[in-house]
Amino acid sequence: MAKTGTRLRLAGALAAALVAAGVANGPAAQAHDRQLGLADLAHRHGRYFGSAVDGPALTDSPYLKILGDQFDMVTPANGMKWYATEPQQGVFDWKDGDAIVQLARANHQRVRGHTLVWHSQLPDWLTSREWTASELRAILKKHTFAEVGHYRGKVYSWDVVNEAFNEDGTYRDTIWYQTLGPGYIADALRWAHQADPHAKLYLNDYNLEAIGPKSDAYYRLAKDLKAQGVPLDGVGFQGHLALQYGYPATLEDNLRRFTELGLDTALTEVDVRMQLPATDEKLAEQATWYRDLTEACLAVRHCVGVTVWDYTDKYSWVPGVFPGEGAPLPWDDQLKPAYYALREALD
Ligand code: 9MR
């Protein structure tokens, strides 16, 4: 959905910076580009450009203005997770997720639902005791129907199962896998499809960007699920990258092989962290990575969009989890080189 009409003009300082960066050429292009956000540029390629958003940011007006101006897809970073949505067994709480759905509606944005089945951020009632397979299967079914049913018609896609594999391509030993075996993945996809037949259903994971044991495991599973007629629509490549580990050069080929199975792909949680302090060199390298990963998605027909895991360093999860690392996003208190690199890739 083009958002040109609803977007407010970018500040004059930004326009000047775009010209300085060689992004806009000639007065007509300058005048035109000044009005376009990342989503508008992505839309020209038939793609979306999204951001995660979470609690504290929801009352930050300058933040919300940029979120509305630049993005056409949002993902609740936490509000639709199990701990938030079913804090007590059978007692559902949609307020955090609903707030983001309402915000998205006001901004003419779509929503990626995140996430139904995960081993993390589960409520205590679920993790503090043992369940038989039939009990846990019933719990999973009820939760999936309740949540997907509540948001039926309101979310574009669901990360149905999140982070199901280990780095070596074996199944992650989660409460779901331990108790239900690998069939929980197909079950959850089938239930989600019944609850909202129009939502696009995804498997989603990190360290999936390069071809290797983990992405090979997803490739085999996706092929298998498709062969069995399980309703899987896409695979989400989270894209939590770190400069010190090198750029995943096989990303484009990897995206392509999944799309050749008849699936959509998307970069769903992108950030590019670095060891602090953030020097000009590191920020320039980060910008190149943002450009390259966006170009990789644009080069693959069924890579449908890119989402950054929040758009500003102010709200990034990175410093809290990786001490001494940070600066992973295209904005801090101003626009970073990564922002201009994104425009360059999309323009
Ligand atoms: O951004 C989320 C952060 O606020 C939470 O504290 C964290 C808990 O694990 O989850 C973050 O989001 C994760 C996402 O749900 C799944 N992929 C990894 C993301 C970063 O940890």
Side-chain angles (χ1 to χ4, degrees), residues 35-301:
Q35 301 171 39
L36 298 179
L38 296 175
D40 297 311
L41 300 176
H43 181 75
R44 293 173 171 174
H45 302 271
R47 309 308 206 278
Y48 62 78
F49 209 93
S51 175
V53 57
D54 194 18
L58 290 169
T59 51
D60 178 338
S61 316
Y63 170 95
L64 289 174
K65 179 171 179 330
I66 294 174
L67 187 75
D69 286 349
Q70 293 277 345
F71 300 96
D72 62 352
M73 183 75 77
V74 291
T75 307
N78 291 298
M80 291 185 180
K81 290 172 177 174
W82 203 312
Y83 81 100
T85 53
E86 194 180 354
Q88 295 167 54
Q89 188 170 8
V91 178
F92 295 95
D93 180 348
W94 310 118
K95 69 176 176 328
D96 290 354
D98 285 356
I100 288 171
V101 168
Q102 275 159 25
L103 175 71
R105 182 172 291 177
N107 282 331
H108 307 287
Q109 293 159 324
R110 291 183 292 170
V111 177
R112 294 195 82 259
H114 175 84
T115 173
L116 299 170
V117 193
W118 195 23
H119 59 275
S120 184
Q121 292 181 287
L122 293 170
D124 286 345
W125 66 262
L126 182 48
T127 53
S128 61
R129 52 158 286 192
E130 303 267 308
W131 304 95
T132 66
S134 69
E135 284 169 342
L136 193 63
R137 200 162 179 273
I139 287 168
L140 181 56
K141 183 174 181 180
K142 182 171 178 179
H143 183 82
T144 304
F145 271 96
E147 181 154 9
V148 179
H150 178 78
Y151 290 110
R152 183 181 171 121
K154 295 177 180 165
V155 305
Y156 159 72
S157 65
W158 276 106
D159 290 331
V160 176
V161 180
N162 197 41
E163 302 175 2
F165 283 100
N166 295 312
E167 298 306 296
D168 65 359
T170 55
Y171 279 98
R172 192 193 279 266
D173 198 15
T174 67
I175 176 175
W176 311 111
Y177 182 76
Q178 274 169 22
T179 316
L180 303 174
Y184 80 90
I185 296 175
D187 283 341
L189 288 162
R190 289 192 180 102
W191 294 328
H193 183 66
Q194 285 171 37
D196 185 352
H198 297 299
K200 301 275 187 197
L201 304 182
Y202 276 68
L203 306 176
N204 190 55
D205 213 327
Y206 61 88
N207 284 352
L208 217 56
E209 294 73 35
I211 293 176
K214 193 172 188 177
S215 61
D216 287 350
Y218 273 94
Y219 183 79
R220 283 192 300 271
L221 174 64
K223 200 170 172 180
D224 232 47
L225 293 171
K226 293 295 278 179
Q228 292 168 48
V230 175
L232 173 68
D233 299 296
V235 174
F237 295 63
Q238 292 184 5
H240 292 293
L241 305 179
L243 290 185
Q244 64 271 25
Y245 301 132
Y247 182 77
T250 48
L251 174 61
E252 183 181 322
D253 290 341
N254 203 16
L255 291 168
R256 188 168 289 112
R257 70 171 170 158
F258 281 89
T259 66
E260 283 167 358
L261 294 176
L263 293 165
D264 284 349
T265 55
L267 303 177
T268 54
E269 304 185 14
V270 174
D271 45 27
V272 181
R273 63 185 189 270
M274 60 187 69
Q275 281 154 346
L276 298 172
T279 60
D280 287 349
E281 287 71 27
K282 287 183 207 168
L283 292 171
E285 191 184 356
Q286 178 188 55
T288 308
W289 287 31
Y290 271 100
R291 188 197 63 208
D292 290 353
L293 65 88
T294 303
E295 287 178 353
C297 181
L298 294 179
V300 175
R301 209 167 137 240

